[in-house]
Amino acid sequence: GNSVTQMEGPVTLSEEAFLTINCTYTATGYPSLFWYVQYPGEGLQLLLKATKADDKGSNKGFEATYRKETTSFHLEKGSVQVSDSAVYFCALFTGGGNKLTFGTGTQLKVEL
Amino acid sequence: EPEVTQTPSHQVTQMGQEVILRCVPISNHLYFYWYRQILGQKVEFLVSFYNNEISEKSEIFDDQFSVERPDGSNFTLKIRSTKLEDSAMYFCASSVDSGPGNTIYFGEGSWLTVV
């Protein structure tokens, strides 16, 4: 079956630090990969996605590259801000399953 | 930008009561979903719905749950007899299709508290 593994949180960083949140997956078929973000008190918002190997999704300074050889989709940002504090969810989608499979989420706290 | 809207944002109900959570998916979308997130846990798939019928459901989606598209715009989740463990954030979502590269858009969630 499908599964997503994310690094444990919380991750606490100082503003302007470099961020990496690791995500690896197992899937039947050829999944599309997503990062969703949940800001405090809000719902899930799509942050970025990649649909095929070597694709790089990017948005708001965040980026992630679909690595088929390592079955990974790590999220990175060069310089985080306090406003980036949120829970980040890695997810995969396979058309046959018609559903998203989420990781457990990684809480990011950015401090001044 | 079009968005998925959900009501209510928060509902408190007594154990054993029926609850209906409502959603208005994005207007040109054809696939509809419910997910839930128990506090501190991962987001879990409940059910997907297409062409007026359930296309897939998880083990969580037992006989106490049902979904309906009563008109051309609303998509509802009903829990017939709520239990304490049904307390969670329920997310409605929709998508244009289910193929590769499909993006699923989520609403802001309905927080259900069963007491």
mmCIF file of all heavy atoms in Angstrom, chain B residues 26-73:
data_model
loop_
_atom_site.group_PDB
_atom_site.id
_atom_site.type_symbol
_atom_site.label_atom_id
_atom_site.label_comp_id
_atom_site.label_asym_id
_atom_site.label_seq_id
_atom_site.Cartn_x
_atom_site.Cartn_y
_atom_site.Cartn_z
ATOM 1 N N ILE B 26 -15.698 23.474 -5.083
ATOM 2 C CA ILE B 26 -15.441 24.399 -6.190
ATOM 3 C C ILE B 26 -16.333 24.015 -7.361
ATOM 4 O O ILE B 26 -16.477 22.828 -7.693
ATOM 5 C CB ILE B 26 -13.944 24.383 -6.568
ATOM 6 C CG1 ILE B 26 -13.135 24.918 -5.383
ATOM 7 C CG2 ILE B 26 -13.684 25.216 -7.820
ATOM 8 C CD1 ILE B 26 -11.638 24.825 -5.539
ATOM 9 N N SER B 27 -16.901 25.008 -8.034
ATOM 10 C CA SER B 27 -18.063 24.772 -8.889
ATOM 11 C C SER B 27 -17.815 23.847 -10.073
ATOM 12 O O SER B 27 -18.692 23.112 -10.461
ATOM 13 C CB SER B 27 -18.616 26.113 -9.392
ATOM 14 O OG SER B 27 -17.643 26.772 -10.173
ATOM 15 N N ASN B 28 -16.667 23.845 -10.681
ATOM 16 C CA ASN B 28 -16.456 22.995 -11.850
ATOM 17 C C ASN B 28 -15.788 21.667 -11.487
ATOM 18 O O ASN B 28 -15.383 20.907 -12.368
ATOM 19 C CB ASN B 28 -15.622 23.720 -12.908
ATOM 20 C CG ASN B 28 -14.224 24.028 -12.424
ATOM 21 O OD1 ASN B 28 -14.019 24.219 -11.224
ATOM 22 N ND2 ASN B 28 -13.264 24.085 -13.316
ATOM 23 N N HIS B 29 -15.679 21.389 -10.185
ATOM 24 C CA HIS B 29 -15.044 20.140 -9.770
ATOM 25 C C HIS B 29 -16.055 19.003 -9.786
ATOM 26 O O HIS B 29 -17.250 19.196 -9.539
ATOM 27 C CB HIS B 29 -14.428 20.300 -8.376
ATOM 28 C CG HIS B 29 -13.187 21.115 -8.387
ATOM 29 N ND1 HIS B 29 -12.368 21.240 -7.285
ATOM 30 C CD2 HIS B 29 -12.598 21.853 -9.372
ATOM 31 C CE1 HIS B 29 -11.340 22.013 -7.591
ATOM 32 N NE2 HIS B 29 -11.458 22.397 -8.840
ATOM 33 N N LEU B 30 -15.540 17.792 -10.047
ATOM 34 C CA LEU B 30 -16.414 16.631 -10.194
ATOM 35 C C LEU B 30 -16.190 15.575 -9.114
ATOM 36 O O LEU B 30 -17.026 14.695 -8.932
ATOM 37 C CB LEU B 30 -16.186 15.974 -11.561
ATOM 38 C CG LEU B 30 -16.440 16.874 -12.767
ATOM 39 C CD1 LEU B 30 -16.095 16.127 -14.047
ATOM 40 C CD2 LEU B 30 -17.895 17.341 -12.808
ATOM 41 N N TYR B 31 -15.060 15.652 -8.428
ATOM 42 C CA TYR B 31 -14.717 14.658 -7.409
ATOM 43 C C TYR B 31 -14.730 15.345 -6.038
ATOM 44 O O TYR B 31 -14.168 16.427 -5.886
ATOM 45 C CB TYR B 31 -13.332 14.055 -7.672
ATOM 46 C CG TYR B 31 -13.280 13.215 -8.913
ATOM 47 C CD1 TYR B 31 -13.181 13.802 -10.172
ATOM 48 C CD2 TYR B 31 -13.349 11.831 -8.836
ATOM 49 C CE1 TYR B 31 -13.147 13.031 -11.314
ATOM 50 C CE2 TYR B 31 -13.309 11.044 -9.977
ATOM 51 C CZ TYR B 31 -13.212 11.657 -11.215
ATOM 52 O OH TYR B 31 -13.190 10.890 -12.345
ATOM 53 N N PHE B 32 -15.323 14.682 -5.072
ATOM 54 C CA PHE B 32 -15.483 15.276 -3.749
ATOM 55 C C PHE B 32 -14.995 14.285 -2.698
ATOM 56 O O PHE B 32 -15.103 13.060 -2.886
ATOM 57 C CB PHE B 32 -16.949 15.643 -3.509
ATOM 58 C CG PHE B 32 -17.584 16.357 -4.664
ATOM 59 C CD1 PHE B 32 -18.660 15.799 -5.343
ATOM 60 C CD2 PHE B 32 -17.088 17.570 -5.104
ATOM 61 C CE1 PHE B 32 -19.231 16.436 -6.421
ATOM 62 C CE2 PHE B 32 -17.654 18.225 -6.188
ATOM 63 C CZ PHE B 32 -18.727 17.655 -6.854
ATOM 64 N N TYR B 33 -14.484 14.843 -1.613
ATOM 65 C CA TYR B 33 -13.841 14.006 -0.601
ATOM 66 C C TYR B 33 -14.152 14.539 0.795
ATOM 67 O O TYR B 33 -14.393 15.725 0.989
ATOM 68 C CB TYR B 33 -12.308 14.036 -0.769
ATOM 69 C CG TYR B 33 -11.811 13.836 -2.175
ATOM 70 C CD1 TYR B 33 -11.704 14.914 -3.051
ATOM 71 C CD2 TYR B 33 -11.422 12.589 -2.636
ATOM 72 C CE1 TYR B 33 -11.242 14.750 -4.343
ATOM 73 C CE2 TYR B 33 -10.953 12.409 -3.929
ATOM 74 C CZ TYR B 33 -10.860 13.500 -4.769
ATOM 75 O OH TYR B 33 -10.393 13.329 -6.056
ATOM 76 N N TRP B 34 -14.081 13.643 1.749
ATOM 77 C CA TRP B 34 -14.015 14.014 3.157
ATOM 78 C C TRP B 34 -12.780 13.363 3.767
ATOM 79 O O TRP B 34 -12.507 12.172 3.543
ATOM 80 C CB TRP B 34 -15.258 13.588 3.919
ATOM 81 C CG TRP B 34 -16.452 14.449 3.657
ATOM 82 C CD1 TRP B 34 -17.494 14.182 2.814
ATOM 83 C CD2 TRP B 34 -16.746 15.726 4.243
ATOM 84 N NE1 TRP B 34 -18.402 15.207 2.836
ATOM 85 C CE2 TRP B 34 -17.968 16.176 3.695
ATOM 86 C CE3 TRP B 34 -16.093 16.543 5.181
ATOM 87 C CZ2 TRP B 34 -18.551 17.394 4.052
ATOM 88 C CZ3 TRP B 34 -16.672 17.743 5.527
ATOM 89 C CH2 TRP B 34 -17.887 18.155 4.976
ATOM 90 N N TYR B 35 -12.056 14.172 4.518
ATOM 91 C CA TYR B 35 -10.921 13.710 5.305
ATOM 92 C C TYR B 35 -11.157 14.157 6.748
ATOM 93 O O TYR B 35 -11.962 15.061 7.003
ATOM 94 C CB TYR B 35 -9.616 14.354 4.821
ATOM 95 C CG TYR B 35 -9.100 13.841 3.510
ATOM 96 C CD1 TYR B 35 -9.687 14.205 2.309
ATOM 97 C CD2 TYR B 35 -7.998 13.000 3.468
ATOM 98 C CE1 TYR B 35 -9.205 13.735 1.096
ATOM 99 C CE2 TYR B 35 -7.492 12.522 2.261
ATOM 100 C CZ TYR B 35 -8.106 12.897 1.090
ATOM 101 O OH TYR B 35 -7.616 12.428 -0.114
ATOM 102 N N ARG B 36 -10.452 13.536 7.684
ATOM 103 C CA ARG B 36 -10.536 14.033 9.048
ATOM 104 C C ARG B 36 -9.149 14.007 9.694
ATOM 105 O O ARG B 36 -8.257 13.265 9.282
ATOM 106 C CB ARG B 36 -11.520 13.218 9.880
ATOM 107 C CG ARG B 36 -10.975 11.899 10.368
ATOM 108 C CD ARG B 36 -11.891 11.245 11.361
ATOM 109 N NE ARG B 36 -11.279 10.049 11.924
ATOM 110 C CZ ARG B 36 -11.931 9.162 12.659
ATOM 111 N NH1 ARG B 36 -13.217 9.337 12.941
ATOM 112 N NH2 ARG B 36 -11.296 8.122 13.129
ATOM 113 N N GLN B 37 -9.034 14.852 10.722
ATOM 114 C CA GLN B 37 -7.782 14.932 11.457
ATOM 115 C C GLN B 37 -8.118 14.980 12.945
ATOM 116 O O GLN B 37 -8.603 16.014 13.434
ATOM 117 C CB GLN B 37 -6.986 16.164 11.038
ATOM 118 C CG GLN B 37 -5.642 16.286 11.715
ATOM 119 C CD GLN B 37 -4.921 17.556 11.333
ATOM 120 O OE1 GLN B 37 -5.515 18.557 10.953
ATOM 121 N NE2 GLN B 37 -3.601 17.532 11.438
ATOM 122 N N ILE B 38 -7.890 13.881 13.621
ATOM 123 C CA ILE B 38 -8.015 13.888 15.069
ATOM 124 C C ILE B 38 -6.864 14.704 15.632
ATOM 125 O O ILE B 38 -5.749 14.672 15.086
ATOM 126 C CB ILE B 38 -8.005 12.451 15.615
ATOM 127 C CG1 ILE B 38 -9.255 11.711 15.113
ATOM 128 C CG2 ILE B 38 -7.925 12.422 17.133
ATOM 129 C CD1 ILE B 38 -9.285 10.233 15.427
ATOM 130 N N LEU B 39 -7.122 15.440 16.695
ATOM 131 C CA LEU B 39 -6.140 16.374 17.233
ATOM 132 C C LEU B 39 -4.782 15.706 17.436
ATOM 133 O O LEU B 39 -4.674 14.669 18.117
ATOM 134 C CB LEU B 39 -6.651 16.938 18.557
ATOM 135 C CG LEU B 39 -5.816 18.051 19.179
ATOM 136 C CD1 LEU B 39 -5.818 19.277 18.281
ATOM 137 C CD2 LEU B 39 -6.352 18.418 20.553
ATOM 138 N N GLY B 40 -3.755 16.275 16.819
ATOM 139 C CA GLY B 40 -2.403 15.771 16.995
ATOM 140 C C GLY B 40 -2.045 14.593 16.131
ATOM 141 O O GLY B 40 -0.931 14.075 16.212
ATOM 142 N N GLN B 41 -2.991 14.143 15.288
ATOM 143 C CA GLN B 41 -2.718 12.978 14.453
ATOM 144 C C GLN B 41 -2.699 13.357 12.975
ATOM 145 O O GLN B 41 -2.876 14.509 12.612
ATOM 146 C CB GLN B 41 -3.750 11.893 14.727
ATOM 147 C CG GLN B 41 -3.738 11.402 16.170
ATOM 148 C CD GLN B 41 -4.678 10.248 16.404
ATOM 149 O OE1 GLN B 41 -5.034 9.510 15.488
ATOM 150 N NE2 GLN B 41 -5.087 10.063 17.653
ATOM 151 N N LYS B 42 -2.477 12.371 12.135
ATOM 152 C CA LYS B 42 -2.364 12.658 10.712
ATOM 153 C C LYS B 42 -3.740 12.860 10.092
ATOM 154 O O LYS B 42 -4.764 12.441 10.637
ATOM 155 C CB LYS B 42 -1.611 11.554 9.992
ATOM 156 C CG LYS B 42 -2.340 10.238 9.916
ATOM 157 C CD LYS B 42 -1.744 9.319 8.860
ATOM 158 C CE LYS B 42 -0.416 8.745 9.230
ATOM 159 N NZ LYS B 42 0.075 7.765 8.247
ATOM 160 N N VAL B 43 -3.753 13.494 8.964
ATOM 161 C CA VAL B 43 -4.975 13.651 8.190
ATOM 162 C C VAL B 43 -5.304 12.311 7.531
ATOM 163 O O VAL B 43 -4.450 11.703 6.886
ATOM 164 C CB VAL B 43 -4.798 14.737 7.110
ATOM 165 C CG1 VAL B 43 -6.052 14.852 6.254
ATOM 166 C CG2 VAL B 43 -4.458 16.073 7.754
ATOM 167 N N GLU B 44 -6.544 11.865 7.715
ATOM 168 C CA GLU B 44 -6.942 10.539 7.225
ATOM 169 C C GLU B 44 -8.065 10.659 6.192
ATOM 170 O O GLU B 44 -9.028 11.407 6.382
ATOM 171 C CB GLU B 44 -7.462 9.681 8.375
ATOM 172 C CG GLU B 44 -6.473 9.458 9.504
ATOM 173 C CD GLU B 44 -7.142 8.777 10.676
ATOM 174 O OE1 GLU B 44 -8.006 9.400 11.337
ATOM 175 O OE2 GLU B 44 -6.809 7.592 10.927
ATOM 176 N N PHE B 45 -7.968 9.873 5.164
ATOM 177 C CA PHE B 45 -9.003 9.811 4.137
ATOM 178 C C PHE B 45 -10.230 9.093 4.680
ATOM 179 O O PHE B 45 -10.121 8.062 5.351
ATOM 180 C CB PHE B 45 -8.439 9.057 2.932
ATOM 181 C CG PHE B 45 -9.459 8.686 1.887
ATOM 182 C CD1 PHE B 45 -9.906 9.619 0.969
ATOM 183 C CD2 PHE B 45 -9.960 7.396 1.822
ATOM 184 C CE1 PHE B 45 -10.825 9.267 -0.001
ATOM 185 C CE2 PHE B 45 -10.877 7.033 0.854
ATOM 186 C CZ PHE B 45 -11.305 7.973 -0.059
ATOM 187 N N LEU B 46 -11.406 9.643 4.399
ATOM 188 C CA LEU B 46 -12.653 8.978 4.759
ATOM 189 C C LEU B 46 -13.353 8.400 3.534
ATOM 190 O O LEU B 46 -13.651 7.213 3.482
ATOM 191 C CB LEU B 46 -13.605 9.962 5.450
ATOM 192 C CG LEU B 46 -13.219 10.470 6.834
ATOM 193 C CD1 LEU B 46 -14.264 11.454 7.332
ATOM 194 C CD2 LEU B 46 -13.051 9.330 7.795
ATOM 195 N N VAL B 47 -13.613 9.268 2.549
ATOM 196 C CA VAL B 47 -14.447 8.836 1.434
ATOM 197 C C VAL B 47 -14.220 9.738 0.236
ATOM 198 O O VAL B 47 -13.893 10.912 0.373
ATOM 199 C CB VAL B 47 -15.942 8.872 1.865
ATOM 200 C CG1 VAL B 47 -16.393 10.298 2.149
ATOM 201 C CG2 VAL B 47 -16.854 8.197 0.862
ATOM 202 N N SER B 48 -14.387 9.152 -0.945
ATOM 203 C CA SER B 48 -14.412 9.945 -2.170
ATOM 204 C C SER B 48 -15.728 9.679 -2.892
ATOM 205 O O SER B 48 -16.321 8.603 -2.768
ATOM 206 C CB SER B 48 -13.216 9.622 -3.077
ATOM 207 O OG SER B 48 -13.223 8.249 -3.431
ATOM 208 N N PHE B 49 -16.165 10.657 -3.661
ATOM 209 C CA PHE B 49 -17.516 10.647 -4.232
ATOM 210 C C PHE B 49 -17.441 11.205 -5.634
ATOM 211 O O PHE B 49 -16.862 12.269 -5.871
ATOM 212 C CB PHE B 49 -18.400 11.533 -3.344
ATOM 213 C CG PHE B 49 -19.870 11.478 -3.609
ATOM 214 C CD1 PHE B 49 -20.671 10.537 -3.003
ATOM 215 C CD2 PHE B 49 -20.481 12.417 -4.434
ATOM 216 C CE1 PHE B 49 -22.037 10.497 -3.204
ATOM 217 C CE2 PHE B 49 -21.852 12.388 -4.652
ATOM 218 C CZ PHE B 49 -22.632 11.432 -4.030
ATOM 219 N N TYR B 50 -18.025 10.486 -6.573
ATOM 220 C CA TYR B 50 -18.023 10.922 -7.970
ATOM 221 C C TYR B 50 -19.284 10.427 -8.651
ATOM 222 O O TYR B 50 -19.708 9.286 -8.417
ATOM 223 C CB TYR B 50 -16.781 10.377 -8.688
ATOM 224 C CG TYR B 50 -16.803 10.570 -10.183
ATOM 225 C CD1 TYR B 50 -16.652 11.838 -10.733
ATOM 226 C CD2 TYR B 50 -17.002 9.494 -11.048
ATOM 227 C CE1 TYR B 50 -16.687 12.021 -12.105
ATOM 228 C CE2 TYR B 50 -17.037 9.673 -12.412
ATOM 229 C CZ TYR B 50 -16.873 10.937 -12.939
ATOM 230 O OH TYR B 50 -16.899 11.125 -14.299
ATOM 231 N N ASN B 51 -19.870 11.267 -9.461
ATOM 232 C CA ASN B 51 -21.047 10.874 -10.242
ATOM 233 C C ASN B 51 -22.154 10.336 -9.339
ATOM 234 O O ASN B 51 -22.788 9.311 -9.643
ATOM 235 C CB ASN B 51 -20.620 9.827 -11.283
ATOM 236 C CG ASN B 51 -21.612 9.703 -12.405
ATOM 237 O OD1 ASN B 51 -22.347 10.645 -12.725
ATOM 238 N ND2 ASN B 51 -21.676 8.527 -13.008
ATOM 239 N N ASN B 52 -22.337 11.010 -8.223
ATOM 240 C CA ASN B 52 -23.413 10.713 -7.277
ATOM 241 C C ASN B 52 -23.298 9.364 -6.591
ATOM 242 O O ASN B 52 -24.316 8.802 -6.149
ATOM 243 C CB ASN B 52 -24.786 10.824 -7.958
ATOM 244 C CG ASN B 52 -25.225 12.268 -8.080
ATOM 245 O OD1 ASN B 52 -25.032 13.068 -7.171
ATOM 246 N ND2 ASN B 52 -25.803 12.606 -9.215
ATOM 247 N N GLU B 53 -22.084 8.869 -6.504
ATOM 248 C CA GLU B 53 -21.917 7.657 -5.722
ATOM 249 C C GLU B 53 -20.518 7.610 -5.116
ATOM 250 O O GLU B 53 -19.602 8.277 -5.584
ATOM 251 C CB GLU B 53 -22.173 6.400 -6.556
ATOM 252 C CG GLU B 53 -21.276 6.232 -7.756
ATOM 253 C CD GLU B 53 -21.655 4.994 -8.553
ATOM 254 O OE1 GLU B 53 -22.833 4.587 -8.533
ATOM 255 O OE2 GLU B 53 -20.760 4.426 -9.192
ATOM 256 N N ILE B 54 -20.404 6.828 -4.048
ATOM 257 C CA ILE B 54 -19.116 6.671 -3.398
ATOM 258 C C ILE B 54 -18.191 5.881 -4.307
ATOM 259 O O ILE B 54 -18.558 4.818 -4.808
ATOM 260 C CB ILE B 54 -19.286 5.945 -2.045
ATOM 261 C CG1 ILE B 54 -20.015 6.850 -1.039
ATOM 262 C CG2 ILE B 54 -17.933 5.516 -1.488
ATOM 263 C CD1 ILE B 54 -20.378 6.164 0.260
ATOM 264 N N SER B 55 -16.994 6.403 -4.557
ATOM 265 C CA SER B 55 -16.028 5.691 -5.382
ATOM 266 C C SER B 55 -15.007 4.932 -4.543
ATOM 267 O O SER B 55 -14.472 3.921 -4.981
ATOM 268 C CB SER B 55 -15.319 6.630 -6.355
ATOM 269 O OG SER B 55 -14.829 7.770 -5.701
ATOM 270 N N GLU B 56 -14.749 5.431 -3.347
ATOM 271 C CA GLU B 56 -13.850 4.714 -2.446
ATOM 272 C C GLU B 56 -14.118 5.173 -1.019
ATOM 273 O O GLU B 56 -14.501 6.318 -0.800
ATOM 274 C CB GLU B 56 -12.383 4.991 -2.810
ATOM 275 C CG GLU B 56 -11.397 4.138 -2.051
ATOM 276 C CD GLU B 56 -9.980 4.256 -2.583
ATOM 277 O OE1 GLU B 56 -9.772 5.021 -3.555
ATOM 278 O OE2 GLU B 56 -9.093 3.603 -2.018
ATOM 279 N N LYS B 57 -13.936 4.272 -0.066
ATOM 280 C CA LYS B 57 -14.076 4.647 1.339
ATOM 281 C C LYS B 57 -13.050 3.900 2.168
ATOM 282 O O LYS B 57 -12.594 2.826 1.785
ATOM 283 C CB LYS B 57 -15.482 4.392 1.853
ATOM 284 C CG LYS B 57 -15.916 2.941 1.773
ATOM 285 C CD LYS B 57 -17.358 2.797 2.251
ATOM 286 C CE LYS B 57 -17.799 1.337 2.191
ATOM 287 N NZ LYS B 57 -19.188 1.177 2.672
ATOM 288 N N SER B 58 -12.704 4.478 3.303
ATOM 289 C CA SER B 58 -11.730 3.858 4.181
ATOM 290 C C SER B 58 -12.446 3.021 5.233
ATOM 291 O O SER B 58 -13.682 3.045 5.355
ATOM 292 C CB SER B 58 -10.867 4.927 4.851
ATOM 293 O OG SER B 58 -11.627 5.636 5.810
ATOM 294 N N GLU B 59 -11.651 2.332 6.027
ATOM 295 C CA GLU B 59 -12.211 1.509 7.107
ATOM 296 C C GLU B 59 -12.911 2.368 8.149
ATOM 297 O O GLU B 59 -13.803 1.900 8.861
ATOM 298 C CB GLU B 59 -11.090 0.706 7.765
ATOM 299 C CG GLU B 59 -10.498 -0.352 6.865
ATOM 300 C CD GLU B 59 -9.344 -1.095 7.527
ATOM 301 O OE1 GLU B 59 -8.922 -0.684 8.626
ATOM 302 O OE2 GLU B 59 -8.872 -2.071 6.930
ATOM 303 N N ILE B 60 -12.494 3.619 8.248
ATOM 304 C CA ILE B 60 -13.103 4.520 9.221
ATOM 305 C C ILE B 60 -14.560 4.788 8.850
ATOM 306 O O ILE B 60 -15.426 4.957 9.711
ATOM 307 C CB ILE B 60 -12.341 5.864 9.261
ATOM 308 C CG1 ILE B 60 -10.869 5.642 9.580
ATOM 309 C CG2 ILE B 60 -12.984 6.823 10.241
ATOM 310 C CD1 ILE B 60 -10.016 6.871 9.339
ATOM 311 N N PHE B 61 -14.827 4.835 7.584
ATOM 312 C CA PHE B 61 -16.151 5.219 7.046
ATOM 313 C C PHE B 61 -17.088 4.032 7.166
ATOM 314 O O PHE B 61 -17.353 3.310 6.192
ATOM 315 C CB PHE B 61 -16.007 5.679 5.601
ATOM 316 C CG PHE B 61 -17.205 6.415 5.081
ATOM 317 C CD1 PHE B 61 -17.334 7.777 5.250
ATOM 318 C CD2 PHE B 61 -18.215 5.740 4.392
ATOM 319 C CE1 PHE B 61 -18.433 8.462 4.759
ATOM 320 C CE2 PHE B 61 -19.314 6.410 3.897
ATOM 321 C CZ PHE B 61 -19.419 7.780 4.080
ATOM 322 N N ASP B 62 -17.604 3.814 8.389
ATOM 323 C CA ASP B 62 -18.481 2.669 8.609
ATOM 324 C C ASP B 62 -19.942 3.088 8.429
ATOM 325 O O ASP B 62 -20.230 4.166 7.896
ATOM 326 C CB ASP B 62 -18.219 2.069 9.997
ATOM 327 C CG ASP B 62 -18.499 3.055 11.125
ATOM 328 O OD1 ASP B 62 -19.240 4.037 10.906
ATOM 329 O OD2 ASP B 62 -17.954 2.847 12.229
ATOM 330 N N ASP B 63 -20.852 2.236 8.883
ATOM 331 C CA ASP B 63 -22.279 2.471 8.640
ATOM 332 C C ASP B 63 -22.817 3.709 9.345
ATOM 333 O O ASP B 63 -23.940 4.144 9.061
ATOM 334 C CB ASP B 63 -23.090 1.250 9.098
ATOM 335 C CG ASP B 63 -22.837 0.041 8.217
ATOM 336 O OD1 ASP B 63 -22.291 0.237 7.098
ATOM 337 O OD2 ASP B 63 -23.155 -1.080 8.626
ATOM 338 N N GLN B 64 -22.048 4.259 10.275
ATOM 339 C CA GLN B 64 -22.489 5.475 10.958
ATOM 340 C C GLN B 64 -22.318 6.722 10.081
ATOM 341 O O GLN B 64 -22.867 7.771 10.384
ATOM 342 C CB GLN B 64 -21.697 5.670 12.256
ATOM 343 C CG GLN B 64 -21.998 4.634 13.318
ATOM 344 C CD GLN B 64 -23.458 4.680 13.730
ATOM 345 O OE1 GLN B 64 -24.009 5.727 14.025
ATOM 346 N NE2 GLN B 64 -24.100 3.523 13.762
ATOM 347 N N PHE B 65 -21.530 6.581 9.033
ATOM 348 C CA PHE B 65 -21.244 7.712 8.152
ATOM 349 C C PHE B 65 -22.010 7.580 6.845
ATOM 350 O O PHE B 65 -22.213 6.476 6.336
ATOM 351 C CB PHE B 65 -19.741 7.759 7.835
ATOM 352 C CG PHE B 65 -18.850 8.112 8.993
ATOM 353 C CD1 PHE B 65 -18.355 7.120 9.819
ATOM 354 C CD2 PHE B 65 -18.496 9.429 9.233
ATOM 355 C CE1 PHE B 65 -17.521 7.438 10.881
ATOM 356 C CE2 PHE B 65 -17.668 9.756 10.288
ATOM 357 C CZ PHE B 65 -17.179 8.764 11.116
ATOM 358 N N SER B 66 -22.399 8.709 6.301
ATOM 359 C CA SER B 66 -22.964 8.714 4.956
ATOM 360 C C SER B 66 -22.660 10.058 4.311
ATOM 361 O O SER B 66 -22.407 11.049 5.002
ATOM 362 C CB SER B 66 -24.475 8.468 4.982
ATOM 363 O OG SER B 66 -25.144 9.492 5.685
ATOM 364 N N VAL B 67 -22.648 10.064 2.990
ATOM 365 C CA VAL B 67 -22.430 11.303 2.248
ATOM 366 C C VAL B 67 -23.544 11.459 1.225
ATOM 367 O O VAL B 67 -24.146 10.483 0.776
ATOM 368 C CB VAL B 67 -21.050 11.350 1.537
ATOM 369 C CG1 VAL B 67 -19.927 11.487 2.539
ATOM 370 C CG2 VAL B 67 -20.853 10.120 0.658
ATOM 371 N N GLU B 68 -23.752 12.712 0.862
ATOM 372 C CA GLU B 68 -24.841 12.993 -0.065
ATOM 373 C C GLU B 68 -24.538 14.284 -0.804
ATOM 374 O O GLU B 68 -23.892 15.184 -0.274
ATOM 375 C CB GLU B 68 -26.154 13.160 0.723
ATOM 376 C CG GLU B 68 -27.393 13.237 -0.116
ATOM 377 C CD GLU B 68 -28.652 13.377 0.735
ATOM 378 O OE1 GLU B 68 -28.556 13.899 1.853
ATOM 379 O OE2 GLU B 68 -29.726 12.982 0.251
ATOM 380 N N ARG B 69 -24.988 14.325 -2.041
ATOM 381 C CA ARG B 69 -24.950 15.578 -2.797
ATOM 382 C C ARG B 69 -26.411 15.918 -3.095
ATOM 383 O O ARG B 69 -26.958 15.540 -4.127
ATOM 384 C CB ARG B 69 -24.138 15.399 -4.065
ATOM 385 C CG ARG B 69 -23.891 16.671 -4.844
ATOM 386 C CD ARG B 69 -22.621 16.557 -5.627
ATOM 387 N NE ARG B 69 -22.487 17.585 -6.657
ATOM 388 C CZ ARG B 69 -22.027 18.807 -6.428
ATOM 389 N NH1 ARG B 69 -21.686 19.168 -5.216
ATOM 390 N NH2 ARG B 69 -21.896 19.677 -7.415
ATOM 391 N N PRO B 70 -27.042 16.632 -2.179
ATOM 392 C CA PRO B 70 -28.499 16.821 -2.271
ATOM 393 C C PRO B 70 -28.942 17.732 -3.410
ATOM 394 O O PRO B 70 -30.089 17.671 -3.842
ATOM 395 C CB PRO B 70 -28.846 17.441 -0.912
ATOM 396 C CG PRO B 70 -27.594 18.088 -0.454
ATOM 397 C CD PRO B 70 -26.469 17.244 -0.986
ATOM 398 N N ASP B 71 -28.026 18.573 -3.896
ATOM 399 C CA ASP B 71 -28.363 19.472 -5.005
ATOM 400 C C ASP B 71 -27.097 19.681 -5.821
ATOM 401 O O ASP B 71 -26.117 18.965 -5.638
ATOM 402 C CB ASP B 71 -28.935 20.792 -4.475
ATOM 403 C CG ASP B 71 -28.032 21.421 -3.432
ATOM 404 O OD1 ASP B 71 -26.795 21.436 -3.647
ATOM 405 O OD2 ASP B 71 -28.537 21.881 -2.413
ATOM 406 N N GLY B 72 -27.097 20.673 -6.689
ATOM 407 C CA GLY B 72 -25.953 20.839 -7.577
ATOM 408 C C GLY B 72 -24.743 21.493 -6.952
ATOM 409 O O GLY B 72 -23.702 21.601 -7.610
ATOM 410 N N SER B 73 -24.866 21.923 -5.690
ATOM 411 C CA SER B 73 -23.741 22.663 -5.128
ATOM 412 C C SER B 73 -23.233 22.114 -3.799
ATOM 413 O O SER B 73 -22.059 22.265 -3.480
ATOM 414 C CB SER B 73 -24.109 24.140 -4.964
ATOM 415 O OG SER B 73 -25.216 24.277 -4.096
#
